[in-house]
Amino acid sequence: MTGQDWLEKDFYATLGVSKDASEQDIKKSYRKLARKYHPDQNQGDPKAEAKFKEIGEAYAVLSDKEQRQQYDAIRSMGSGGRFTGGAGGAGGFEDVFGGMFGGGGGSYSTQGAGGFEDILGGLFGGGGSRGGFGGAGFRANPPQAGADITAATTMSFKHAVLGTEVTLTVDGRTVKARIPAGVQDGQKIRLPGKGRPGSGGGPAGNLILTVKVQPHPVYSLDGANMRMTLPITFDEAALGSQIDVPVYGGDTVKVKVAPGTPSGKVLRIKGRGVKTSKTTGDLLVTLNVVVPQNLSKEAKEAVEAFAAATTGSNVRSDILANAKE
């Protein structure tokens, strides 16, 4: 932003505050106006978008103590001083400084002000060489990006699977954020331009949103895949069977269990995980062979008969042999 821009724009009027407004009053007014004209609240309204930009530009200058002093000094020179140009009329900002350095044949003085050093001292807090006067002319502070801010949100397992839109209040502003399907517990989502406004025309910072996903009693997320543990009976595992597996959303699918399936075996059901914009995950089912706790007389006799029929096989033979070495 150039000095001419500062001379032509009334940042105090933009924020609706007086020239002697306190930092707190400026901040309060900015937050109120930013909420009113924020693009999220006025989608498709170019006038509101332009107004929001003007508000951010004004706040970037007036919220910075040094920039505000420079701005006030330039505005004072443009309105409260006296300039006699070479053509006999009042000149613009560049003419003023041309007169100061002998470039335009005119002269400039402020009411009640001192000499050349006083003018530069008022602009830059003392010391005429610090503000950037020279062959390149006047330059304001360079654009700087706004700071990032952090926030957190908690959502249900269903919203994490399907994706959702959340509304947050951050720094006095209402911010809407789209959460993609398949978001993980503890995942951080970066929302560009939703942070604090930049200064000197610089871009706004980012909002870093941490997502907390409430646990589900049956399912858990593993990237785009979904996991669950399913109990099966001893006979289903030993003899093999076809079982019904519940998938997320209320449906069931039939899955074959091979004879002799051990506990901990993972079955993969394709395409029944999380559907994202890039892929569709699977449902991973971990089988848990359940040992009955209370056997009836008939069941006990059957197990004893099974044990007698399989006496020749020792499932721990390899471990026992290796333990002796």
PDB file of all heavy atoms in Angstrom, residues 292 294-306:
ATOM      1  N   PRO A 292     -17.210 -71.694  25.549  1.00  0.00           N
ATOM      2  CA  PRO A 292     -18.378 -71.682  26.439  1.00  0.00           C
ATOM      3  C   PRO A 292     -17.957 -71.799  27.905  1.00  0.00           C
ATOM      4  O   PRO A 292     -17.053 -72.556  28.245  1.00  0.00           O
ATOM      5  CB  PRO A 292     -19.191 -72.897  25.976  1.00  0.00           C
ATOM      6  CG  PRO A 292     -18.216 -73.778  25.274  1.00  0.00           C
ATOM      7  CD  PRO A 292     -17.212 -72.873  24.658  1.00  0.00           C
ATOM      8  N   ASN A 294     -20.281 -72.391  30.621  1.00  0.00           N
ATOM      9  CA  ASN A 294     -21.090 -73.383  31.340  1.00  0.00           C
ATOM     10  C   ASN A 294     -21.606 -74.424  30.345  1.00  0.00           C
ATOM     11  O   ASN A 294     -22.341 -74.090  29.408  1.00  0.00           O
ATOM     12  CB  ASN A 294     -22.271 -72.711  32.044  1.00  0.00           C
ATOM     13  CG  ASN A 294     -21.806 -71.694  33.085  1.00  0.00           C
ATOM     14  OD1 ASN A 294     -21.032 -72.031  33.974  1.00  0.00           O
ATOM     15  ND2 ASN A 294     -22.289 -70.466  32.964  1.00  0.00           N
ATOM     16  N   LEU A 295     -21.198 -75.663  30.551  1.00  0.00           N
ATOM     17  CA  LEU A 295     -21.597 -76.745  29.653  1.00  0.00           C
ATOM     18  C   LEU A 295     -22.683 -77.595  30.286  1.00  0.00           C
ATOM     19  O   LEU A 295     -22.637 -77.920  31.485  1.00  0.00           O
ATOM     20  CB  LEU A 295     -20.397 -77.629  29.322  1.00  0.00           C
ATOM     21  CG  LEU A 295     -19.232 -76.974  28.554  1.00  0.00           C
ATOM     22  CD1 LEU A 295     -18.082 -77.970  28.422  1.00  0.00           C
ATOM     23  CD2 LEU A 295     -19.714 -76.530  27.180  1.00  0.00           C
ATOM     24  N   SER A 296     -23.635 -77.955  29.463  1.00  0.00           N
ATOM     25  CA  SER A 296     -24.641 -78.907  29.922  1.00  0.00           C
ATOM     26  C   SER A 296     -23.995 -80.303  29.984  1.00  0.00           C
ATOM     27  O   SER A 296     -22.882 -80.512  29.485  1.00  0.00           O
ATOM     28  CB  SER A 296     -25.834 -78.911  28.960  1.00  0.00           C
ATOM     29  OG  SER A 296     -25.432 -79.387  27.690  1.00  0.00           O
ATOM     30  N   LYS A 297     -24.699 -81.246  30.554  1.00  0.00           N
ATOM     31  CA  LYS A 297     -24.163 -82.599  30.661  1.00  0.00           C
ATOM     32  C   LYS A 297     -23.891 -83.178  29.281  1.00  0.00           C
ATOM     33  O   LYS A 297     -22.834 -83.782  29.045  1.00  0.00           O
ATOM     34  CB  LYS A 297     -25.156 -83.471  31.428  1.00  0.00           C
ATOM     35  CG  LYS A 297     -24.689 -84.925  31.573  1.00  0.00           C
ATOM     36  CD  LYS A 297     -25.710 -85.742  32.343  1.00  0.00           C
ATOM     37  CE  LYS A 297     -25.261 -87.206  32.457  1.00  0.00           C
ATOM     38  NZ  LYS A 297     -26.273 -88.044  33.168  1.00  0.00           N
ATOM     39  N   GLU A 298     -24.814 -82.962  28.376  1.00  0.00           N
ATOM     40  CA  GLU A 298     -24.654 -83.501  27.034  1.00  0.00           C
ATOM     41  C   GLU A 298     -23.478 -82.835  26.307  1.00  0.00           C
ATOM     42  O   GLU A 298     -22.699 -83.496  25.596  1.00  0.00           O
ATOM     43  CB  GLU A 298     -25.937 -83.301  26.223  1.00  0.00           C
ATOM     44  CG  GLU A 298     -27.128 -84.115  26.695  1.00  0.00           C
ATOM     45  CD  GLU A 298     -27.808 -83.507  27.918  1.00  0.00           C
ATOM     46  OE1 GLU A 298     -27.404 -82.383  28.335  1.00  0.00           O
ATOM     47  OE2 GLU A 298     -28.717 -84.147  28.466  1.00  0.00           O
ATOM     48  N   ALA A 299     -23.361 -81.509  26.491  1.00  0.00           N
ATOM     49  CA  ALA A 299     -22.263 -80.799  25.841  1.00  0.00           C
ATOM     50  C   ALA A 299     -20.921 -81.233  26.403  1.00  0.00           C
ATOM     51  O   ALA A 299     -19.933 -81.400  25.669  1.00  0.00           O
ATOM     52  CB  ALA A 299     -22.448 -79.290  26.009  1.00  0.00           C
ATOM     53  N   LYS A 300     -20.867 -81.448  27.716  1.00  0.00           N
ATOM     54  CA  LYS A 300     -19.609 -81.888  28.338  1.00  0.00           C
ATOM     55  C   LYS A 300     -19.196 -83.255  27.821  1.00  0.00           C
ATOM     56  O   LYS A 300     -18.016 -83.499  27.521  1.00  0.00           O
ATOM     57  CB  LYS A 300     -19.770 -81.908  29.854  1.00  0.00           C
ATOM     58  CG  LYS A 300     -18.492 -82.234  30.591  1.00  0.00           C
ATOM     59  CD  LYS A 300     -18.692 -82.156  32.095  1.00  0.00           C
ATOM     60  CE  LYS A 300     -17.399 -82.459  32.831  1.00  0.00           C
ATOM     61  NZ  LYS A 300     -17.594 -82.390  34.306  1.00  0.00           N
ATOM     62  N   GLU A 301     -20.166 -84.148  27.693  1.00  0.00           N
ATOM     63  CA  GLU A 301     -19.872 -85.481  27.180  1.00  0.00           C
ATOM     64  C   GLU A 301     -19.379 -85.404  25.740  1.00  0.00           C
ATOM     65  O   GLU A 301     -18.461 -86.143  25.343  1.00  0.00           O
ATOM     66  CB  GLU A 301     -21.126 -86.352  27.274  1.00  0.00           C
ATOM     67  CG  GLU A 301     -21.500 -86.709  28.704  1.00  0.00           C
ATOM     68  CD  GLU A 301     -22.813 -87.471  28.776  1.00  0.00           C
ATOM     69  OE1 GLU A 301     -23.516 -87.557  27.719  1.00  0.00           O
ATOM     70  OE2 GLU A 301     -23.158 -87.977  29.857  1.00  0.00           O
ATOM     71  N   ALA A 302     -19.951 -84.471  24.970  1.00  0.00           N
ATOM     72  CA  ALA A 302     -19.537 -84.335  23.580  1.00  0.00           C
ATOM     73  C   ALA A 302     -18.108 -83.813  23.495  1.00  0.00           C
ATOM     74  O   ALA A 302     -17.315 -84.267  22.648  1.00  0.00           O
ATOM     75  CB  ALA A 302     -20.485 -83.390  22.847  1.00  0.00           C
ATOM     76  N   VAL A 303     -17.744 -82.876  24.375  1.00  0.00           N
ATOM     77  CA  VAL A 303     -16.391 -82.331  24.369  1.00  0.00           C
ATOM     78  C   VAL A 303     -15.398 -83.403  24.797  1.00  0.00           C
ATOM     79  O   VAL A 303     -14.290 -83.515  24.235  1.00  0.00           O
ATOM     80  CB  VAL A 303     -16.295 -81.094  25.285  1.00  0.00           C
ATOM     81  CG1 VAL A 303     -14.840 -80.643  25.428  1.00  0.00           C
ATOM     82  CG2 VAL A 303     -17.145 -79.968  24.737  1.00  0.00           C
ATOM     83  N   GLU A 304     -15.785 -84.217  25.792  1.00  0.00           N
ATOM     84  CA  GLU A 304     -14.909 -85.302  26.235  1.00  0.00           C
ATOM     85  C   GLU A 304     -14.692 -86.320  25.112  1.00  0.00           C
ATOM     86  O   GLU A 304     -13.578 -86.834  24.931  1.00  0.00           O
ATOM     87  CB  GLU A 304     -15.510 -85.974  27.471  1.00  0.00           C
ATOM     88  CG  GLU A 304     -15.461 -85.090  28.714  1.00  0.00           C
ATOM     89  CD  GLU A 304     -16.211 -85.694  29.884  1.00  0.00           C
ATOM     90  OE1 GLU A 304     -17.000 -86.648  29.649  1.00  0.00           O
ATOM     91  OE2 GLU A 304     -16.034 -85.215  31.017  1.00  0.00           O
ATOM     92  N   ALA A 305     -15.738 -86.592  24.390  1.00  0.00           N
ATOM     93  CA  ALA A 305     -15.615 -87.515  23.258  1.00  0.00           C
ATOM     94  C   ALA A 305     -14.702 -86.918  22.191  1.00  0.00           C
ATOM     95  O   ALA A 305     -13.885 -87.626  21.574  1.00  0.00           O
ATOM     96  CB  ALA A 305     -17.000 -87.820  22.685  1.00  0.00           C
ATOM     97  N   PHE A 306     -14.843 -85.614  21.975  1.00  0.00           N
ATOM     98  CA  PHE A 306     -13.977 -84.934  21.000  1.00  0.00           C
ATOM     99  C   PHE A 306     -12.512 -85.016  21.447  1.00  0.00           C
ATOM    100  O   PHE A 306     -11.608 -85.267  20.642  1.00  0.00           O
ATOM    101  CB  PHE A 306     -14.408 -83.472  20.863  1.00  0.00           C
ATOM    102  CG  PHE A 306     -13.446 -82.621  20.077  1.00  0.00           C
ATOM    103  CD1 PHE A 306     -13.431 -82.672  18.699  1.00  0.00           C
ATOM    104  CD2 PHE A 306     -12.537 -81.795  20.726  1.00  0.00           C
ATOM    105  CE1 PHE A 306     -12.539 -81.890  17.974  1.00  0.00           C
ATOM    106  CE2 PHE A 306     -11.646 -81.024  20.013  1.00  0.00           C
ATOM    107  CZ  PHE A 306     -11.650 -81.072  18.625  1.00  0.00           C
TER     108      PHE A 306
END
